[in-house]
Amino acid sequence: MKTFMRSEWPFWILLAAMFLMSAAAWSVVPDRIPVHWNAHGQIDGYGGKWEGLLLLPTIVVGLYLLMLAVPRIDPGRANYESFKKAYWVIRLVVLAYMAVLHATILLITLGHRLEMNRIVLLSSGVLLLILGSVLGKVRPNWFVGVRTPWTLSSKQSWTRSQRAGGWMLITAGIVTLPAAFLPAPWNLALFLGTLLLGTLWLVLYSYLIWRHDPERTTPSDTTPADE
């Protein structure tokens, strides 16, 4: 229990900070709060206080609990011990990303002149860089990493695809950071296009590695292999 508390306190601080920010802003924000932006960075959707201040933090709590439960319900749960530090980083950076978006929404609601699209892209670039730096350490499982029919049927395809996926995310992060300063909607198009092309390449790459793996399994025998 002590080990669990030592490892989880950063998550609890992020979750508490999101709710505390909402509580502090409750009495000073208007009744209509921006909750959606279009590709040009313009607000095109509003919500009430409950939606604008509490919906995202509540979703993040659910996401935190889900990510906490995944290693316990995954059929390949035995492998999580071998990449627990990488999974901890993945969980933390995803929650931190959501907390940054929540703080940005509150600041914009309070009258600060921030460009939502630019903040999203900058934080997404950092997210991609961090995820890419740890993806190669992820071992076979059913929820985390590059999961295709071929990575789940071949240890070789899994290992090499995670490493390739890590470099793809790092490349996407490097592209996304300067793209944040391009005019909208071209910045968003470059971000999404890079991710789409990278994802398609990874799918093809995982298939090619699987195809040449003499130890690949048949579909009926597919199960995350132990490292």
Side-chain angles (χ1 to χ4, degrees), residues 1 5 31-32 114 155 214:
M1 183 62 180
M5 293 181 66
D31 292 332
R32 295 176 72 245
L114 298 175
K155 182 190 293 186

PDB file of all heavy atoms in Angstrom, residues 1 5 31-32 114 155 214:
ATOM      1  N   MET A   1       0.824  -1.202   0.000  1.00  0.00           N
ATOM      2  CA  MET A   1       0.000   0.000   0.000  1.00  0.00           C
ATOM      3  C   MET A   1       0.865   1.263   0.000  1.00  0.00           C
ATOM      4  O   MET A   1       0.586   2.229  -0.693  1.00  0.00           O
ATOM      5  CB  MET A   1      -0.913  -0.011   1.225  1.00  0.00           C
ATOM      6  CG  MET A   1      -1.861   1.182   1.282  1.00  0.00           C
ATOM      7  SD  MET A   1      -3.002   1.222  -0.129  1.00  0.00           S
ATOM      8  CE  MET A   1      -3.934   2.691   0.219  1.00  0.00           C
ATOM      9  N   MET A   5       0.934   4.293  -2.789  1.00  0.00           N
ATOM     10  CA  MET A   5       0.731   5.711  -2.477  1.00  0.00           C
ATOM     11  C   MET A   5       1.902   6.556  -2.958  1.00  0.00           C
ATOM     12  O   MET A   5       1.711   7.663  -3.459  1.00  0.00           O
ATOM     13  CB  MET A   5       0.523   5.885  -0.974  1.00  0.00           C
ATOM     14  CG  MET A   5      -0.770   5.268  -0.454  1.00  0.00           C
ATOM     15  SD  MET A   5      -1.020   5.518   1.309  1.00  0.00           S
ATOM     16  CE  MET A   5      -1.232   7.292   1.376  1.00  0.00           C
ATOM     17  N   ASP A  31     -21.851  32.488 -17.047  1.00  0.00           N
ATOM     18  CA  ASP A  31     -22.700  31.294 -17.132  1.00  0.00           C
ATOM     19  C   ASP A  31     -22.442  30.490 -18.401  1.00  0.00           C
ATOM     20  O   ASP A  31     -22.715  29.292 -18.433  1.00  0.00           O
ATOM     21  CB  ASP A  31     -24.175  31.696 -17.078  1.00  0.00           C
ATOM     22  CG  ASP A  31     -24.563  32.246 -15.712  1.00  0.00           C
ATOM     23  OD1 ASP A  31     -23.925  31.839 -14.715  1.00  0.00           O
ATOM     24  OD2 ASP A  31     -25.483  33.079 -15.638  1.00  0.00           O
ATOM     25  N   ARG A  32     -21.926  31.145 -19.446  1.00  0.00           N
ATOM     26  CA  ARG A  32     -21.598  30.449 -20.697  1.00  0.00           C
ATOM     27  C   ARG A  32     -20.082  30.319 -20.798  1.00  0.00           C
ATOM     28  O   ARG A  32     -19.363  31.312 -20.816  1.00  0.00           O
ATOM     29  CB  ARG A  32     -22.155  31.207 -21.904  1.00  0.00           C
ATOM     30  CG  ARG A  32     -23.667  31.266 -21.941  1.00  0.00           C
ATOM     31  CD  ARG A  32     -24.175  32.115 -23.097  1.00  0.00           C
ATOM     32  NE  ARG A  32     -24.005  31.472 -24.390  1.00  0.00           N
ATOM     33  CZ  ARG A  32     -23.215  31.907 -25.356  1.00  0.00           C
ATOM     34  NH1 ARG A  32     -22.482  33.007 -25.164  1.00  0.00           N
ATOM     35  NH2 ARG A  32     -23.124  31.269 -26.516  1.00  0.00           N
ATOM     36  N   LEU A 114      -5.547  33.804 -25.006  1.00  0.00           N
ATOM     37  CA  LEU A 114      -4.747  32.640 -25.382  1.00  0.00           C
ATOM     38  C   LEU A 114      -5.342  32.005 -26.626  1.00  0.00           C
ATOM     39  O   LEU A 114      -6.554  32.017 -26.824  1.00  0.00           O
ATOM     40  CB  LEU A 114      -4.727  31.612 -24.246  1.00  0.00           C
ATOM     41  CG  LEU A 114      -4.112  32.063 -22.919  1.00  0.00           C
ATOM     42  CD1 LEU A 114      -4.283  30.977 -21.867  1.00  0.00           C
ATOM     43  CD2 LEU A 114      -2.641  32.414 -23.086  1.00  0.00           C
ATOM     44  N   LYS A 155       6.219 -11.866 -31.558  1.00  0.00           N
ATOM     45  CA  LYS A 155       7.046 -11.120 -30.602  1.00  0.00           C
ATOM     46  C   LYS A 155       7.993 -10.181 -31.337  1.00  0.00           C
ATOM     47  O   LYS A 155       8.233  -9.056 -30.913  1.00  0.00           O
ATOM     48  CB  LYS A 155       7.834 -12.075 -29.713  1.00  0.00           C
ATOM     49  CG  LYS A 155       8.686 -11.372 -28.674  1.00  0.00           C
ATOM     50  CD  LYS A 155       9.633 -12.319 -27.955  1.00  0.00           C
ATOM     51  CE  LYS A 155       8.890 -13.314 -27.103  1.00  0.00           C
ATOM     52  NZ  LYS A 155       9.814 -14.146 -26.286  1.00  0.00           N
ATOM     53  N   PRO A 214       9.519 -16.329 -38.651  1.00  0.00           N
ATOM     54  CA  PRO A 214       9.193 -17.766 -38.694  1.00  0.00           C
ATOM     55  C   PRO A 214       8.487 -18.260 -37.430  1.00  0.00           C
ATOM     56  O   PRO A 214       7.899 -19.338 -37.438  1.00  0.00           O
ATOM     57  CB  PRO A 214      10.567 -18.429 -38.853  1.00  0.00           C
ATOM     58  CG  PRO A 214      11.533 -17.433 -38.278  1.00  0.00           C
ATOM     59  CD  PRO A 214      10.961 -16.090 -38.595  1.00  0.00           C
TER      60      PRO A 214
END
